[in-house]
Amino acid sequence: MEISSIPSFLDYYDKIRQRTERVIACIPADQFDWTYREGKFTFADQIRHIAAIERYLYAETVQGRSAAYTGCGKALADDPEQVLAFFREKHQESLAIFSSLSDQGLQQKIQTPGGGQITCWKWLRALIEHEIHHRAHIYTYLGILGIPTPPIFGLTSEQVQEQSTQASKI
């Protein structure tokens, strides 16, 4: 998928973020520091990481600056309310930066932290893929804990299967 305009990117990214917000809302406040294994990201780490990478890596580099990501630890935000506030604040800061880009700027090359070059629209696509990747971790963590989650596109796989079975009988 090529991103050809800033408004279309922002609209699509908003839909991605809404889905992420819906699954984050399923995390019980007393589970924000839960992880499946010592040394692995907690729920809170996942949320802080999405926010910090968006703002301090992607939003910085699309401006021609060096990445400023320094991690996703509790120093950024600790309790659930602070974590969610940080998540939303960094997203708003990033959106302001992304909104300032021009459609022509989407074709410019971005310097990645690894020293490579990538077209800006592809870099923004990678941002979306990154968020989806970490959202999947949150879904998995919630599944391990037996906490129900919302379907991504409105129906569960079981509901789609049931509808398909009914439709094939007609």
Side-chain angles (χ1 to χ4, degrees):
M1 171 192 117
E2 181 174 345
I3 299 168
S4 58
S5 77
I6 295 302
S8 68
F9 163 72
L10 294 172
D11 180 61
Y12 181 64
Y13 192 31
D14 179 60
K15 290 175 178 78
I16 297 297
R17 182 49 61 104
Q18 287 176 31
R19 291 182 200 119
T20 301
E21 286 270 3
R22 280 195 296 273
V23 74
I24 286 172
C26 297
I27 304 168
D30 65 347
Q31 296 293 321
F32 262 60
D33 288 324
W34 181 88
T35 184
Y36 67 95
R37 186 170 70 206
E38 184 68 32
K40 297 297 182 179
F41 276 2
T42 65
F43 281 114
D45 291 334
Q46 295 282 357
I47 297 165
R48 287 187 297 257
H49 179 71
I50 292 168
I53 283 285
E54 174 191 29
R55 175 61 189 86
Y56 299 121
L57 186 137
Y58 288 95
E60 287 300 303
T61 54
V62 298
Q63 298 176 92
R65 298 179 182 163
S66 296
Y69 177 77
T70 59
C72 59
K74 289 186 174 198
L76 297 173
D78 192 5
D79 67 47
E81 295 82 20
Q82 292 172 347
V83 170
L84 294 174
F86 177 78
F87 180 72
R88 293 177 182 130
E89 177 184 304
K90 296 306 154 196
H91 184 60
Q92 290 306 309
E93 289 175 13
S94 298
L95 289 179
I97 292 166
F98 300 145
S99 296
S100 73
L101 299 172
S102 70
D103 291 348
Q104 297 78 19
L106 291 170
Q107 301 305 318
Q108 301 299 312
K109 293 292 185 181
I110 302 296
Q111 179 80 27
T112 69
Q117 297 271 316
I118 189 170
T119 307
C120 182
W121 72 265
K122 290 179 181 178
W123 190 235
L124 292 174
R125 183 179 62 190
L127 162 67
I128 291 169
E129 291 173 3
H130 179 264
E131 180 161 328
I132 292 167
H133 164 78
H134 286 284
R135 182 174 70 210
H137 290 164
I138 295 169
Y139 269 100
T140 302
Y141 283 21
L142 289 168
I144 290 169
L145 294 174
I147 298 170
T149 57
I152 295 174
F153 299 113
L155 297 174
T156 65
S157 63
E158 295 82 9
Q159 291 168 325
V160 172
Q161 184 177 4
E162 177 63 27
Q163 285 185 358
S164 298
T165 302
Q166 290 175 1
S168 68
K169 292 179 183 179
I170 298 177

